[in-house]
Amino acid sequence: QLVTGAAVGRAQSSTDVPDRFRLEVGGFRVESDSKLTLHRNGVSNTVDFEDDLALDGNSTRGYVEGCWRVGRKHLLSLSYQRLNRETADVTLDRTINWGGTTFPVGVRASAFTHSNYFSGAYRFAVYRGDRFEIGPALGLGYVRMSGGIDATGNAGEASRDLTVSASTGSPTGDLGAYLHWWPARRVLVRSEAPYILVKPGDSEASVTDAKAAVLWHPAPRFAVGLQYTYTKF
């Protein structure tokens, strides 16, 4: 992920990086693995959208996050990320079953997956020194996902159109840990590893959203950097 950011406020004495308010915008290069299980009419089938439907595993994802240090040891943040992917038509070379619907060999099929994730977090610095802080992170969020398969064609029988799609959304809560490290006056290194699990009703939603980033401030109020993120919905 490439990250650009703006920061305002008073810096610590050991750094030129202000951290009262921060706004970051970035773009990820994403390697995705999408195995979607659809439960419908008492039938449950899993389809690998990359292997079975040629959904490109490499794509891009947008990201924005705002942070506000409300006290020396207290930090709040809000973030949003989305990932929408679609395939061109491919001819199926094997039969696919998804949610009780059969897509036979020879039909032309396309697929899509969409995900949107909103989250907010509170971080408390159990330890905060001039160049390092570490502590627990608590958060709430909402994840929305959808996927679908469209097919049309003649597979040794009457021509027909088949469409199956589904979507789901759920609030999430997370618990994890974070650290911030200022190894130089204009460099910020940070990482975070929360795990999110929620079971609304008879369903279950979990999100793992670990990240590590290095940001350099060529000017005190402007930063560029790189970030690695592992996200599992």
Side-chain angles (χ1 to χ4, degrees):
Q1 177 197 12
L2 294 175
V3 179
T4 59
V8 297
R10 179 175 297 176
Q12 296 173 228
S13 59
S14 61
T15 176
D16 293 334
V17 180
D19 69 345
R20 180 68 181 276
F21 298 99
R22 295 185 66 88
L23 177 64
E24 296 182 4
V25 178
F28 291 88
R29 183 60 176 172
V30 178
E31 181 179 343
S32 300
D33 182 16
S34 306
K35 295 179 176 66
L36 303 186
T37 301
L38 179 59
H39 306 274
R40 183 166 287 176
N41 300 323
V43 179
S44 178
N45 305 108
T46 300
V47 171
D48 188 317
F49 274 50
E50 285 83 14
D51 291 346
D52 297 331
L53 295 165
L55 188 65
D56 192 349
N58 295 311
S59 54
T60 58
R61 182 175 75 184
Y63 156 90
V64 62
E65 181 175 18
C67 299
W68 176 29
R69 187 174 293 279
V70 295
R72 185 175 182 272
K73 292 189 173 186
H74 306 277
L75 186 65
L76 300 177
S77 69
L78 290 173
S79 67
Y80 169 70
Q81 52 185 285
R82 62 179 295 175
L83 177 60
N84 293 340
R85 296 184 297 149
E86 299 178 358
T87 67
D89 286 348
V90 295
T91 301
L92 297 185
D93 58 7
R94 71 180 187 87
T95 298
I96 292 175
N97 296 296
W98 199 48
T101 299
T102 299
F103 298 87
V105 173
V107 300
R108 298 283 291 173
S110 62
F112 73 89
T113 63
H114 296 164
S115 65
N116 293 270
Y117 180 44
F118 301 87
S119 64
Y122 165 69
R123 302 171 181 88
F124 173 72
V126 174
Y127 171 80
R128 177 173 168 89
D130 288 341
R131 290 187 175 270
F132 184 81
E133 69 177 80
I134 189 170
L138 303 172
L140 295 173
Y142 186 83
V143 58
R144 183 75 181 176
M145 299 183 66
S146 60
I149 305 173
D150 294 310
T152 185
N154 190 324
E157 55 186 77
S159 179
R160 57 177 177 163
D161 296 332
L162 296 170
T163 300
V164 178
S165 63
S167 62
T168 184
S170 177
T172 62
D174 68 80
L175 173 64
Y178 86 100
L179 70 84
H180 288 177
W181 174 39
W182 294 266
R185 295 194 69 87
R186 293 194 176 185
V187 176
L188 169 62
V189 177
R190 67 179 187 203
S191 67
E192 187 169 0
Y195 176 72
I196 303 139
L197 175 66
V198 64
K199 296 184 177 182
D202 59 355
S203 63
E204 178 178 305
S206 64
V207 180
T208 302
D209 192 25
K211 62 185 69 174
V214 178
L215 296 115
W216 171 61
H217 283 252
R221 296 190 177 187
F222 177 76
V224 294
L226 294 174
Q227 178 167 283
Y228 174 80
T229 298
Y230 173 84
T231 303
K232 180 179 181 180
F233 294 128

